[in-house]
Each structure stands twice: as C-alpha cells, then as structure tokens.
Amino acid sequence: MNTRTLTRTALFAALTAAGAFIRIPLGYSSITLQFFFTAMAGCLLGPVWGPVSQTVYVALGLIGLPIFTQGGGLTYLLQPTCGFLIGLIPAAWVIGLLTARRPPHPVRTALACLAGLAVLYAVGLPYMAVILNQYMGKAMDFSAILWAGMLPFLPGDMLKIAVTAALAPLLQKRLSRVIEEELTPLQRETLLAYYIQQKNIPTIAAERSVAKSTVSRTLRRAEGKVRRFLRY
C-alpha cells in the first residue's frame, strides 16, 4: 500500500460517483457510466484496490452522501437498483483478477469486462426481483425483470466495454500524470481523507486546524482535476 495506490482508489470512488449523474432514466433503472468506471477501476487498480474503490463509493452513499442516482442513505437498500450498486464491488474484483499482471490487450480486457458485467447482473437482477416482488408487490415474472433491469441496457454496456478495452492502456498513463503532476500533496491528502478514510469535512478541518471552507475548497479543486480527467 502506498500513497499513489490510495490516491488512485480515491479517484475511482469519485469517478464512479460522477458516473451516477451522467444518466438517461429508463424505467426502474437508468443508463449511467458507473459500470464504465468500475471496469476501469478493475483494469487499472487490480483485484484488490479496484473493488476497494467501489466499496468506498457504495459505503459513502449508504451512510448518507447523495452520490447514488437517486440520492443516498440506508433506505437506498430498498431501491430496486441497489443490487447493481452492490454488484459493482465483485464486478471490479473479477475484472481486476482477469487483467492483473497481464500485458494490456483489447480482447483480453473486453472478455474480462464481459465477465464482470455477468457478475453485476447476477447480483443485481435477483436483488431487483426481491425488492419489486416481495417489498413493492409488483408480481413481475422473470421476463419482466430482465426487461426492467438488463435487456435495454446491454447495447450501452457493450459500448462501455469496447471503450474500456480501447482506452485502458492510455488511461493508465494519464492517471499517473493526474496523480503525480496535477494534484498537489494537500489535494491528494484531502482526497484520501475524504474518500478512503471516510472522514467528513469538519473532522478534516479540525485535524488540520483550518476552516471548513478551506477543506471544502481544496476538495473541490481536487475533484475539478478529476472531472478534467473524466472529460479526457
């Protein structure tokens, strides 16, 4: 474990959160970029820190930060799509496991992402069925669940996988540059404290004996650089 690895983990937690808000509503779910960043996390962070980044994202949302598509908090566990959020964690692990310690290759990366996507749906669809049928009383059959939670999203998923397979080697270099050249040491420390150590802004401010506005400003600047990485 080192600062670079922890910073990358924090970056991908932030990127997955950003991906939740790039969305197209579709029935009970939405088309978002979350799986794209989960796949990238698996490819670029590996089978340990990839899923850690997604665990951090899910944990922050469940404790109340509004970083899911429809908000946050423990009540989100009763949302039909919450299983897909939980599924991001093992999906990143599978992708990382299949791409770790291997030279980057588009076909290998695409197949790993397909395996991760299968894991995501294996977790998300049964969860959706339980919430819709047992909690919400919808009485939806297997076919209806597939149409509600998977089939309309597959074309977009294939596009995300294709982009991941093409860009992962390039983004590996770009990610190193973001961490080493664009983020200041204080910005790196703030990202780590907020996203990895899960400290809130008042706690960070108290530890540094600075105003909360100072911490917020540092965090915003760091996230702004992450967003520029996202646009790239």
Side-chain angles (χ1 to χ4, degrees):
M1 182 191 307
N2 54 45
T3 300
R4 178 185 294 182
T5 299
L6 290 174
T7 305
R8 289 185 177 197
T9 303
L11 278 171
F12 273 97
L15 287 169
T16 307
F21 297 98
I22 304 172
R23 65 191 182 95
I24 301 173
L26 194 63
Y28 291 105
S29 189
S30 298
I31 298 173
T32 74
L33 289 182
Q34 287 170 302
F35 177 71
F36 171 72
F37 291 117
T38 297
M40 282 292 184
C43 291
L44 301 183
L45 300 181
V48 175
W49 293 103
V52 167
S53 72
Q54 302 307 292
T55 301
V56 168
Y57 166 64
V58 173
L60 288 173
L62 290 178
I63 65 175
L65 293 183
I67 55 176
F68 296 153
T69 303
Q70 299 178 50
L74 286 175
T75 57
Y76 213 90
L77 291 168
L78 298 177
Q79 290 284 341
T81 56
C82 188
F84 294 104
L85 293 173
I86 297 169
L88 295 175
I89 300 168
W93 176 75
V94 167
I95 294 169
L97 193 67
L98 295 176
T99 57
R101 298 184 180 87
R102 294 175 175 87
H105 189 280
V107 174
R108 184 184 297 113
T109 301
L111 291 174
C113 291
L114 280 172
L117 183 66
V119 170
L120 179 67
Y121 282 120
V123 176
L125 287 174
Y127 195 105
M128 173 175 274
V130 169
I131 296 298
L132 287 175
N133 291 332
Q134 303 301 319
Y135 176 69
M136 300 176 67
K138 296 292 185 179
M140 297 174 66
D141 61 17
F142 181 69
S143 176
I145 294 294
L146 288 180
W147 278 104
M150 185 180 77
L151 297 179
F153 305 98
L154 288 178
D157 290 333
M158 296 304 105
L159 178 60
K160 295 170 201 172
I161 288 173
V163 172
T164 300
L167 292 185
L170 298 176
L171 290 181
Q172 178 71 57
K173 297 178 181 178
R174 175 64 178 171
L175 185 58
S176 296
R177 181 183 171 189
V178 169
I179 294 171
E180 297 299 329
E181 299 180 14
E182 298 187 20
L183 291 179
T184 68
L186 184 60
Q187 289 169 347
R188 285 195 292 268
E189 290 174 10
T190 304
L191 277 176
L192 291 177
Y194 189 75
Y195 284 104
I196 300 300
Q197 298 170 7
Q198 299 188 20
K199 297 178 181 178
N200 57 32
I201 288 175
T203 300
I204 299 171
E207 290 177 350
R208 298 179 182 176
S209 300
V210 298
K212 290 184 287 185
S213 60
T214 300
V215 176
S216 296
R217 186 164 55 250
T218 302
L219 184 62
R220 284 197 303 270
R221 288 174 179 170
E223 290 173 338
K225 293 177 180 180
V226 171
R227 285 192 290 272
R228 286 197 290 275
F229 170 75
L230 172 61
R231 287 197 296 270
Y232 174 85

